[in-house]
Amino acid sequence: MTPPPIIPDYELLRLVGRGSYGDVWLARGITGLYRAVKIVWRERFDDRGPYEREFKGLREFASVSLTEARQLALLHVGRNDDAGFFYYIMELADDAAGRSDIDPATYVPHTLKFVREQRGRVPASQVIALAADLARALAGLHARGLVHRDVKPSNVIFVSGVPKLADIGLVAVATSAQTFVGTEGFVPPEGPGTPAADVYSLGKLLYEISTGLDRHEYPRLPSNLGDLSDRKQLLELNEILIRACDAVPARRYGDASAMLEDLLLLQAGRSMRRLRTAERSLNRAIRVGAALGLVAATAGTGIFLERQRAQHENTLRRAAETERDDLARKTIYSAALTRAQLAIELGNFGQARDQLDAVLPKKGEPDPRGFEWYMLRNEAAGDPAVILQDQGPIVSRVSFSSDGSTLAWQNADLTVTLWDLVDGKSLRTIREIYNLANFSADGKWVIGTDPMGRFQRWSVETGRPDAEPATGINRPISALAAGDGGVCFTDTFDGVQPHFLRTWDFGRHAEIMSLPVPARVDGERWDFYRTALSADSRVCALALLAGQGNEARWQLQIIDLNVGKKIWSGPVMHRPSTLALSPDASRLAIGWGDTVEVQMRDLSTQTWLWRKSFDTGSPETLSFSPDGTKLAMAGRSSIVHILDTATGEPLAILRGQKGVVMHLAWSPDGRALCSGSNTGDVRLWREPFISNPKLIKNERPPPLDTAYGAVRTSRDGQSLAVSRYGERVEVLDAATLSVRASIPDILQPIGFTDDDRSLLVLTRERKLQEWQLDPLVPLSELSPFSDGTVNHAALSPDTRWLATSDHDGHIQAWDWQERKLLFEGRAHPFLSLGLAFSPDGKSLVSIGDDRKAKFWEIPTGRLGTTLQLPGTPLSVNFSPDKRSLAIGLDDGSVGLFPLDSGAAPRILKTAAAHAGSVIFSHDGSRLICAGPNSALQIFATDDWREITTLTADDGTRSGNNAVDNLALTSDDHVLAVYLVDGRLRVWRQ
């Protein structure tokens, strides 16, 4: 059996569908989630045009997929032109067996065809609901000028019980749907490719499932129609089908939205048969003329009354639709956040930005975005870089002029863009350049080949080509480091004559050197595969290929261009995906495409110096810094690695590029790196190469007996105070995570005071101390409990009041500004588990292991309401409006207790084994819950639906990734998470 093709980050498990042009596989991603992957093969198309149109249709559909919940979610599109296919990854259909978990060995997709085969005809009420859902999906396509072209039962799948149109690869622009696709009986007489044709196909689909008859039997109704309990509804639906399946397009619904209007009327209880009868009566009256005007008036009155009643009911229907659409927008928003988070974890920052930008609200629409969107969008922006171009044609090469003032990049549309790095603006675009090599040594020319393969140069100042190009069909490698010329590789076509390495002098319009590279060695043909040139143009490295497929073999040749002879040659075991020579030509870096690693070779001793593996796909481009100390590498991902050339150890990782990085180039001074991608994203990274800080790693875990890890935010959002290993508290800059102050012998920060100029902390002796931060000096000390048993402390929002509790259930309340005890007492019979002040500081709530929450009036200490809790509480927080209280429980649920009404509490289930920390956003729109793993679930407080889940771990799973504590700045711009093992994770807007 032929093995399945390789799809990055996915394992193809089993073929579950096959069509004329492609195959559908059940696949498992690296996250463990199951998806559907469709492979569309070039060889199944007669010519390339339809194949490319199918691919273009996917790109058109992608924007619809991201904005409409009723469309099948298109998660990723890719292509492998070498293997002759493109593919797309979709959400997976439900299991037809009704299993909630997927068993790859028995999985069968739940399609409408399966439903029909199992049930025969479907009751009319269910068909009408299904018809409305499918009509909405089609209407979404038609509104954007797209058509589906093959609506049929096998192309309707159920995802979480929702019917969706599959085989999205057939979606096309209505005016360009030239390929004849579709299934006999579902395709109208005029052929596919228009909205009206999609309506015809949908009508035939509904006919089959509502009658149980084959589409070819249309318009016959079931022979037992009189015995059917849903006979009346079926006849009403049939009125819509008659119009949808009319053989004359002009009499058919023009698009799915028109059909949807009638379906909504039918769902609202209106009679399509009476409406059609009234319309036909009016038409007959008009044809008869004025003599029958009374009949027309009567018929018109009937229609008017019928339409008026329908309009009222339709208004109610549309109100329900509005609510449903609001739910759909929330679902789309949540899905986009989830996909963006996954893309960030995989390093696909550009894809993450696309996902997030797809839910930007249109004019007049409500804005669904909360702090989590802005935080993810900031993270998806990647590491600091100057974005010269954010999208465009594929950028295959980038190059600096020798003085570093100008940058050039090659676009796939045969243009080269020149960019002035001094003024920060585009100079010009030069057309008809097939391949860019480099700038000339004096920076006055860019050198490359024209569309005929001739070696040529173009003026930087005017953009015009030189009068006399070099002869032959050439592939440029680079421009000469000195002089006015370049190095090119000359192809031959007969397989007998050798290839040539040529150097060309444009000033004299003459060849400097021509070195043959044998096309055959020992009777075997070897083809040019990859090249690299040293910065001084003295040495050239060639990778040559013989054979194909499993028989392919590679060899390397190192050639001294000054003397025109080979320095070294030898076979290599793997495919060299990219080569780079150090500036002094002493070392060769090779990226291996099959083993996903980079190796460094010493050319003087012909020994390997080091090898470095990557998880970012096969290396596609390598570039030495001008001083030879650094090597930049990018693979089949958007991540750029900068390595130490002596050891191979990483010096920096740069994230944020959109698409696959195609080429890298260093500036002449080695202080900047330029990258270009297959999406046209061109970025300039400047030293120092600093990654956007988001995680402080644990140098060592805190002591096991220290359960006082915490993080606190200053009120201005600019500082974080965090426990460090039970030994000290560090005050960090929230933007850079650099240390501003370090206070020794401290267990835990309690809160910032005095307008963020001071910090209240808990010492190792369980005393409370206040420290001035600049300069760092202690101000005062307080011993709430003489036996040193403080286990919790909390400051009121205005920092006036302080509450403390001990291990025996006692609590104290203090006027912190006056250092005066307000009251004390035993709140719980055993252990006090948490304290929280209300937003106005007038109430204090304490929770204990007696499963109670008690409210204390401040400053009197009068005991108010006591809540009996359904489990042991672990954390507590007030909503900003003081209308509800959230309490995290040990069973993973969160109790939401209304404080301004007698309503029953709501129990919110989370994915955690216990809800260790719960906080509200300061605008009150979000609730954040964290537990024993690194997941932070975010819920909307208007309907308590989960919005998304943020992952606090960095992906290494190197320690205990349980969340110990959360903190959110007062402007909701910084979210900090303290993990049990001492790591700190930060998100920023």
Side-chain angles (χ1 to χ4, degrees), residues 224-251:
N224 63 339
L225 179 64
D227 300 329
L228 298 178
S229 59
D230 60 346
R231 172 181 174 275
K232 182 178 178 181
Q233 281 185 300
L234 181 58
L235 289 174
E236 294 288 351
L237 174 61
N238 191 55
E239 290 292 331
I240 295 176
L241 301 186
I242 289 172
R243 184 171 177 183
C245 299
D246 199 305
V248 180
R251 295 200 297 261

Side-chain angles (χ1 to χ4, degrees), residues 53 86 116 125 172 182-183 185 323 348 415 460 464 509 511 566 600 691 700 758 783 808 823-824 830 942:
R53 280 196 295 272
F86 66 78
R116 183 168 181 255
S125 60
T183 303
E323 183 177 354
N348 299 326
T415 64
V460 171
R464 297 192 184 97
H509 299 288
E511 189 174 75
K566 196 184 318 178
M600 185 72 73
S691 295
R700 59 186 182 278
S758 304
S783 299
D808 294 322
F823 65 86
E824 63 179 327
F830 303 108
D942 58 350

Side-chain angles (χ1 to χ4, degrees), residues 50 52-64 141-149 168-179 181 192-195 198:
E52 294 296 340
R53 280 196 295 272
E54 304 298 342
F55 184 73
K56 181 181 179 182
L58 283 176
R59 293 187 301 177
E60 298 286 349
F61 177 77
S63 60
V64 183
L141 294 178
H142 294 168
R144 289 164 173 79
L146 303 176
V147 289
H148 186 276
R149 300 192 291 165
I168 55 181
L170 298 176
V171 171
V173 177
T175 56
S176 65
Q178 301 170 18
T179 310
V181 296
T194 65
D198 280 349

Side-chain angles (χ1 to χ4, degrees), residues 28 54 235 255 339 403 450 530 562 566 589 614 717 739 809-810 855 933:
R28 181 169 48 228
E54 304 298 342
L235 289 174
D255 58 22
R339 290 196 288 259
D403 63 359
D450 64 16
R530 294 285 186 269
N562 287 343
K566 196 184 318 178
F614 296 90
V739 178
H810 296 91
F855 292 81
N933 55 30

Side-chain angles (χ1 to χ4, degrees), residues 317-332:
R317 181 70 185 175
R318 288 189 180 279
E321 286 295 309
T322 299
E323 183 177 354
R324 183 183 300 181
D325 289 343
D326 181 58
L327 178 60
R329 278 191 293 269
K330 291 179 179 179
T331 302
I332 292 168

Side-chain angles (χ1 to χ4, degrees), residues 15 100 125 151 275 322 345 358 375 377 449 459 489 492 543 569 763 772 775 810 855 864-865 896 914 935 976:
L15 191 67
S100 58
S125 60
V151 179
L275 195 57
T322 299
E345 291 176 5
M375 289 178 176
R377 188 62 177 79
T449 54
S459 169
F489 190 91
T492 55
S569 69
T763 70
Q772 179 179 291
H810 296 91
F855 292 81
T865 304
L896 299 166
H914 63 261

Side-chain angles (χ1 to χ4, degrees), residues 751-970:
F752 287 85
T753 61
D754 192 23
D755 294 330
D756 298 332
R757 292 193 293 265
S758 304
L759 182 68
L760 183 65
V761 298
L762 180 66
T763 70
R764 296 179 64 82
E765 291 77 27
R766 304 304 198 272
K767 297 178 180 180
L768 293 172
Q769 282 184 345
E770 186 174 19
W771 284 73
Q772 179 179 291
L773 296 178
D774 188 19
L776 186 65
V777 293
L779 297 178
S780 60
E781 185 173 281
L782 176 69
S783 299
F785 299 102
S786 58
D787 58 357
T789 58
V790 174
N791 68 339
H792 287 94
L795 276 169
S796 63
D798 61 2
T799 72
R800 179 178 180 182
W801 314 117
L802 170 70
T804 60
S805 64
D806 67 5
H807 292 285
D808 294 322
H810 296 91
I811 65 168
Q812 293 179 338
W814 296 77
D815 183 327
W816 177 245
Q817 295 178 1
E818 300 292 335
R819 306 300 193 268
K820 174 184 176 182
L821 180 66
L822 299 176
F823 65 86
E824 63 179 327
R826 188 156 194 167
H828 306 282
F830 303 108
L831 185 64
S832 177
L833 297 175
L835 299 165
F837 280 97
S838 62
D840 58 8
K842 295 181 179 180
S843 297
L844 171 72
V845 65
S846 66
I847 54 174
D849 60 1
D850 56 352
R851 296 190 172 189
K852 291 181 179 179
K854 295 184 177 181
F855 292 81
W856 308 85
E857 186 180 278
I858 300 294
T860 65
R862 185 177 66 85
L863 178 63
T865 304
T866 296
L867 298 177
Q868 185 65 51
L869 307 178
T872 300
L874 301 177
S875 56
V876 59
N877 255 303
F878 283 88
S879 64
D881 59 7
K882 198 186 172 182
R883 297 178 63 182
S884 60
L885 188 74
I887 299 179
L889 303 172
D890 62 349
D891 64 353
S893 62
V894 175
L896 299 166
F897 297 88
L899 301 179
D900 62 345
S901 68
R906 176 191 294 267
I907 302 299
L908 190 66
K909 292 294 182 181
T910 74
H914 63 261
S917 189
V918 292
I919 61 172
F920 286 91
S921 62
H922 289 84
D923 66 3
S925 67
R926 303 290 191 264
L927 176 70
I928 312 170
C929 307
N933 55 30
S934 63
L936 277 70
Q937 289 178 272
I938 300 176
F939 296 86
T941 57
D942 58 350
D943 57 7
W944 302 110
R945 294 180 69 253
E946 182 180 0
I947 297 173
T948 193
T949 298
L950 299 179
T951 302
D953 205 315
D954 61 349
T956 62
R957 307 296 192 267
S958 58
N960 186 339
N961 63 354
V963 174
D964 200 7
N965 193 247
L966 300 174
L968 190 63
T969 56
S970 58

Side-chain angles (χ1 to χ4, degrees), residues 550-561:
N550 294 332
E551 302 299 322
R553 293 174 308 287
W554 294 270
Q555 67 167 260
L556 294 177
Q557 293 189 4
I558 311 298
I559 300 170
D560 188 326
L561 296 178

